[in-house]
Amino acid sequence: QGCTQKYIVKNYFYYYLFKFSAALGEEIFYITFLPFTYWNIDHSVSRRMIIVWSIVMYIGQVSKDILKWPRPLSPPVVKLEMRTNAEYGMPSTHAMAATAISFSFFIATMNLYKYPFELGLVAALVFSTLVCLSRLYTGMHTVLDVIGGALISAVLLVLLYPAWDTIDHLLLTSPFCPLFSIVVPLVLCYNYPKLDYYSPTRGDTTMILGAAAGATVGFWLNNQYAASAYTGRSVQPGLPLITSTMVFVLGRFFVGISVVLLTRWVMKSVVLGMLGYRYQFPIRDLEARRRLEVEVPYKFVTYSCVGFTATVIVPLLHELLGLM
């Protein structure tokens, strides 16, 4: 699993296109695009995307460790990534996430904003297709892994769509929402399928469920105690107004993402330090950090704080700075 192969890049366009496309199914994309929709597009769109994303990713990650289908053999395949090589292959969670995010965004916005239906559909198809193809190009999945992941995600979207409004209403109004949003993900993380060797799937799943839990608590608090902000705004034609709008959009994004990344860094340091003191291990001890009693609370607390910060603290800061 630690073996690497030498390779020569013959087509730099495909190489950079698919390396970039692969990043659209990883943390760097989640931690930027999902908050961006909350700060600059619409609360309801962001809530629905996060609900679908967390459910789809949990099912995909657990399915990998239950099915235990190996990734493509290398050689003959050349693998351009090594971090996820320890994971099993079927289904491709990159394909699942790309399908879930792109099509849930399309479905959630098509009745809120005026744009051609065909344009939205093509954009969702192109986005998900690029991510799926990137998994083949980088040698991380077989065609069956990718098709399986996309199909599972599509089926889950079809099943979840009729319940979107009901789930959204309960998450905003139920007095049990904060308790449910924290306890259920934690139970799922602590009862994650056990493997004979360490795989990053449990840690990645904990990050996703933690971020969704923190964001959901934030949604509930905002609905209970704060006025709705960042509702969809219609921009009328005119270069000055469009330019002004873009300044506010970029300002909200850069302020917000700076606070989110700072929160992640601070919480990682604090929580790891506390756990290191509790279980008597050096913070840089990678093996100790992979233990269940360390990895789950470390990643869940860190990323639940990230989700909460993105939905509660950042909007308050935007209002204070006049970026609303």
Side-chain angles (χ1 to χ4, degrees), residues 153-324:
S153 190
V155 170
L156 289 172
L157 265 175
V158 170
L159 294 175
L160 288 170
Y161 178 71
W164 262 13
D165 292 339
T166 303
I167 295 172
D168 190 48
H169 178 72
L170 288 173
L171 291 179
L172 291 179
T173 60
S174 173
F176 302 105
C177 171
L179 181 64
F180 179 87
S181 299
I182 297 297
V183 171
V184 172
L186 268 177
V187 170
L188 293 175
C189 292
Y190 274 108
N191 291 275
Y192 194 83
K194 293 180 175 58
L195 297 176
D196 296 331
Y197 64 92
Y198 178 79
S199 167
T201 48
R202 185 183 65 201
D204 290 347
T205 305
T206 304
M207 288 163 49
I208 292 166
L209 294 184
T216 304
V217 173
F219 297 150
W220 184 85
L221 279 174
N222 286 336
N223 187 66
Q224 298 295 318
Y225 302 106
S228 179
Y230 310 129
T231 52
R233 299 175 177 85
S234 58
V235 178
Q236 301 299 323
L239 183 61
L241 187 55
I242 293 175
T243 303
S244 174
T245 301
M246 288 304 300
V247 169
F248 275 87
V249 166
L250 292 175
R252 284 193 292 265
F253 175 72
F254 284 114
V255 168
I257 202 65
S258 299
V259 174
V260 164
L261 293 176
L262 178 63
T263 300
R264 185 180 66 162
W265 177 75
V266 170
M267 292 309 301
K268 275 186 174 182
S269 302
V270 171
V271 177
L272 261 182
M274 293 174 64
L275 290 169
Y277 176 79
R278 168 66 178 82
Y279 294 107
Q280 298 298 306
F281 67 86
I283 291 179
R284 297 186 180 276
D285 187 344
L286 186 59
E287 289 302 316
R289 288 164 56 173
R290 289 174 171 179
R291 286 154 41 189
L292 175 68
E293 65 272 20
V294 174
E295 183 176 60
V296 170
Y298 152 52
K299 294 196 171 180
F300 190 88
V301 172
T302 297
Y303 283 88
S304 61
C305 289
V306 166
F308 184 83
T309 298
T311 54
V312 177
I313 306 301
V314 169
L316 291 175
L317 184 58
H318 285 167
E319 188 171 5
L320 183 65
L321 295 174
L323 293 172
M324 300 294 286

Side-chain angles (χ1 to χ4, degrees), residues 3-5 7 9 11 13-26 71-85 92 94-95 129-143 145-146:
C3 175
T4 58
Q5 289 178 275
Y7 57 87
V9 178
N11 190 314
F13 174 76
Y14 288 146
Y15 178 78
Y16 288 114
L17 172 66
F18 291 127
K19 289 286 282 185
F20 173 77
S21 300
L24 299 178
E26 297 174 356
R71 290 187 181 269
L73 292 175
S74 176
V77 169
V78 176
K79 294 184 178 179
L80 305 186
E81 298 176 12
M82 295 311 300
R83 179 189 173 274
T84 58
N85 195 38
S92 166
H94 273 71
T129 300
L130 280 174
V131 176
C132 290
L133 290 176
S134 75
R135 306 317 288 158
L136 302 178
Y137 182 87
T138 55
M140 302 310 295
H141 285 284
T142 65
V143 174
D145 294 344
V146 170

Side-chain angles (χ1 to χ4, degrees), residues 19-174:
K19 289 286 282 185
F20 173 77
S21 300
L24 299 178
E26 297 174 356
E27 181 188 357
I28 185 65
F29 176 73
Y30 304 146
I31 208 169
T32 53
F33 180 71
L34 294 176
F36 180 88
T37 62
Y38 189 78
W39 300 329
N40 292 301
I41 298 179
D42 193 276
H43 275 181
S44 64
V45 173
S46 181
R47 290 196 304 268
R48 284 159 172 76
M49 289 175 63
I50 289 173
I51 290 168
V52 171
W53 169 66
S54 58
I55 293 174
V56 165
M57 289 300 288
Y58 175 77
I59 291 174
Q61 297 283 71
V62 169
S63 298
K64 280 187 177 187
D65 290 340
I66 291 176
L67 293 174
K68 298 183 179 180
W69 286 20
R71 290 187 181 269
L73 292 175
S74 176
V77 169
V78 176
K79 294 184 178 179
L80 305 186
E81 298 176 12
M82 295 311 300
R83 179 189 173 274
T84 58
N85 195 38
E87 298 179 6
Y88 289 107
M90 177 68 174
S92 166
T93 46
H94 273 71
M96 293 183 72
T99 303
I101 289 175
S102 60
F103 281 93
S104 61
F105 181 81
F106 167 55
I107 295 167
T109 57
M110 66 181 180
N111 293 324
L112 289 175
Y113 300 95
K114 293 181 179 179
Y115 62 81
F117 174 86
E118 295 79 7
L119 177 63
L121 181 61
V122 169
L125 284 171
V126 169
F127 179 92
S128 53
T129 300
L130 280 174
V131 176
C132 290
L133 290 176
S134 75
R135 306 317 288 158
L136 302 178
Y137 182 87
T138 55
M140 302 310 295
H141 285 284
T142 65
V143 174
L144 185 59
D145 294 344
V146 170
I147 293 175
L151 287 178
I152 293 170
S153 190
V155 170
L156 289 172
L157 265 175
V158 170
L159 294 175
L160 288 170
Y161 178 71
W164 262 13
D165 292 339
T166 303
I167 295 172
D168 190 48
H169 178 72
L170 288 173
L171 291 179
L172 291 179
T173 60
S174 173

